[in-house]
Amino acid sequence: MESLFVSMGVVALAEIGDKTQLLALVLAARYRQPLVIALGVLVATVFNHAVAALVGSLVASYLGDHVLTWILAISFLFMAGWTLIPDKVSDAEKEAKGRGGVFLTTVVTFFLLEIGDKTQIATVALSARYQDVVMVTLGTTAGMMLANVPAIYLGDVAAHRIPLSLVRSLAAALFLVLGILALLDAVGVF
């Protein structure tokens, strides 16, 4: 259960102010179909994070525990710094609307924008750490939904009331703690 709850918390915090959350806000403001957009985010996230968790688990199975611990420590420390950098949604992403309607537009744009994103990389690292593809995927997906569904339904109100710099700082602190714990594990303190 630890893998589920840690994955959920890490990704929920990392997603706040992230470009995919900003995309969810833009889609919600433009199309005003919050349930359809939330379902699109869910489908995109499940597929994206399942692949990321599988990759993390496979990478972990090929590396020795010591090498993996060092890679995870460095990854979490990198994520701590990256989380502090605010994301922006480009004009092309704001204008994305395919022939498949709002649901398909949400699934495709959210899936593609999530590739190489903080939360996807965190999913790879968490899966490598916990070696539990299902629980990490469930946790990271729940974290994405915890961060995005309120943004979808509350739109601009939430965007202006949540101090994103504070949330980014908290997320960075969480990644920093995970990185330090992994470093301590790598040097044999634990």
Side-chain angles (χ1 to χ4, degrees), residues 3 6-8 18 30-31 42 49 85 121 137-138 141 143 147 149 172:
S3 59
V6 169
S7 297
M8 183 173 19
D18 191 67
R30 179 166 184 187
Y31 300 117
L42 176 63
H49 286 207
I85 301 169
I121 293 169
T137 300
L138 289 173
T141 299
V149 169

Side-chain angles (χ1 to χ4, degrees), residues 15-187:
E15 179 65 6
I16 295 177
D18 191 67
K19 65 185 173 189
T20 46
Q21 187 183 48
L22 297 174
L23 176 64
L25 281 167
V26 167
L27 291 170
R30 179 166 184 187
Y31 300 117
R32 302 191 189 279
Q33 295 182 39
L35 179 59
V36 174
I37 293 166
L39 290 173
V41 168
L42 176 63
V43 169
T45 301
V46 167
F47 284 120
N48 192 292
H49 286 207
V51 170
L54 186 58
V55 166
S57 183
L58 289 172
V59 167
S61 69
Y62 287 107
L63 300 176
D65 286 343
H66 189 68
V67 171
L68 179 62
T69 303
W70 278 102
I71 291 171
L72 290 174
I74 292 165
S75 297
F76 283 132
L77 294 173
F78 173 75
M79 292 298 296
W82 190 9
T83 301
L84 293 172
I85 301 169
D87 283 329
K88 295 178 182 165
V89 178
S90 72
D91 289 337
E93 292 157 352
K94 289 178 187 177
E95 293 301 317
K97 171 115 168 68
R99 297 176 193 228
V102 175
F103 176 76
L104 190 56
T105 296
T106 302
V107 170
V108 171
T109 56
F110 206 88
F111 181 87
L112 291 175
L113 204 56
E114 184 65 12
I115 294 173
D117 197 46
K118 292 182 278 240
T119 51
Q120 186 191 43
I121 293 169
T123 302
V124 171
L126 288 161
S127 182
R129 161 70 175 88
Y130 287 109
Q131 291 288 297
D132 192 340
V133 171
V134 173
M135 294 304 269
V136 168
T137 300
L138 289 173
T140 58
T141 299
M144 289 289 281
M145 299 311 289
L146 281 172
N148 284 304
V149 169
I152 291 167
Y153 278 93
L154 299 177
D156 286 334
V157 174
H160 291 75
R161 296 202 186 260
I162 297 173
L164 295 180
S165 60
L166 173 64
V167 175
R168 277 194 300 274
S169 296
L170 290 173
L174 180 59
F175 280 120
L176 181 63
V177 167
L178 291 171
I180 290 170
L181 290 174
L183 277 176
L184 292 174
D185 187 29
V187 297

